[in-house]
Amino acid sequence: MRDFYEDPAVPVASGSPRSLRQARMLAEALGPAAHGARTILDIGCGDGTAAATAAPLLPGHRLIGVDWSQDALRRARTRMPYAVRGELTDGGLPFRAESADAVLFSEVIEHLVDPDAALDEIRRVLRPGGHLMLSTPNLAAWYNRALLLAGVQPVFSEVSLRGIHGRPGTEVVGHLRLYTARALREFVAASGFEVVRLRGAPFHGVPRPMRPLDRLVCAAPSAASILLLHARRPSTRGA
């Protein structure tokens, strides 16, 4: 997997519609920096495009990119002032416990072998009451439901790191896990977070004629292309 993600040909950026919606949710949760600058970690920052999209909506706040791919970090540093190497294992993030006010976790969890350990590590670095903004493709997206009925492998799912088999699309991106809205809520809650809300976002890879419908379906997050989940670390330190 390390060799796979260090390959410059592997995509490390997501679409701006998701990034904008997620940034708006975070800006609403944090409030203006006039009330105090907050530290935001963009974990799995990739090439920094999501952080660059979010930055204008988060003026005055401190945004730090984190990734373990050296190739991604080289590209991220051209778009954001701070980008450091870190891993989502026990103590793998180079930050003290309870040192971050928010974490952006955008289209990362579906790539992980051990998502449980990743959320444990995120919970460690978040302050009590800190925000987690997580996005991930939706296994139950409206078109995936139709594809499964037709016996076709769902979009976003992959059976190989070498090629696409049995589903639409041409890019191999290394998805190991996929979530429905219900599964994502339950998983995040079981990891010690309070789920605040769940929204939908469109997928930039949907064919152009289908994009108006894809945006419309976002009103029903359980069928949307992308799941945007806002959760918080409980405010009580013992929680």
Side-chain angles (χ1 to χ4, degrees), residues 27-224:
E28 182 182 339
L30 291 180
H35 298 158
R38 307 296 181 89
T39 297
I40 304 163
L41 306 181
D42 183 2
I43 297 178
C45 65
D47 66 2
T49 54
T53 300
L57 300 178
L58 301 164
H61 294 301
R62 186 182 305 106
L63 191 57
I64 302 171
V66 185
D67 210 295
W68 62 257
S69 167
Q70 296 290 4
D71 176 71
L73 288 172
R74 280 192 292 271
R75 287 183 268 175
R77 288 172 183 140
T78 67
R79 294 184 172 95
M80 55 194 309
Y82 307 106
V84 299
R85 193 176 188 280
E87 298 194 28
L88 284 165
T89 53
D90 184 24
L93 294 175
F95 304 99
R96 298 188 310 273
E98 301 183 3
S99 60
D101 298 287
V103 165
L104 283 170
F105 200 44
S106 305
E107 262 99 313
V108 177
I109 199 167
E110 64 272 14
H111 299 271
L112 300 179
V113 174
D114 190 352
D116 303 271
L119 287 195
D120 287 346
E121 181 65 358
I122 288 172
R123 190 171 181 273
R124 179 187 72 81
V125 299
L126 273 177
R127 294 190 175 103
H131 303 275
L132 169 62
M133 297 290 175
L134 184 158
S135 66
T136 191
N138 183 8
L139 175 61
W142 59 277
Y143 39 81
N144 279 346
R145 301 181 189 208
L147 289 172
L148 279 170
L149 284 174
V152 177
Q153 187 82 9
V155 175
F156 310 127
S157 66
E158 295 181 331
V159 298
S160 170
L161 294 177
R162 298 178 180 178
I164 298 298
H165 304 288
R167 72 158 173 85
T170 59
E171 286 186 334
V172 177
V173 293
H175 289 177
L176 302 180
R177 300 180 182 276
L178 289 175
Y179 299 81
T180 64
R182 178 175 179 176
L184 186 64
R185 282 179 176 273
E186 290 184 4
F187 171 59
V188 172
S191 299
F193 291 88
E194 297 172 347
V195 175
V196 178
R197 58 182 168 175
L198 183 75
R199 290 183 176 176
F203 174 46
H204 63 279
V206 167
R208 189 174 297 276
M210 300 167 64
R211 289 178 186 176
L213 176 58
D214 193 42
R215 290 192 294 269
L216 184 66
V217 174
C218 290
S222 64

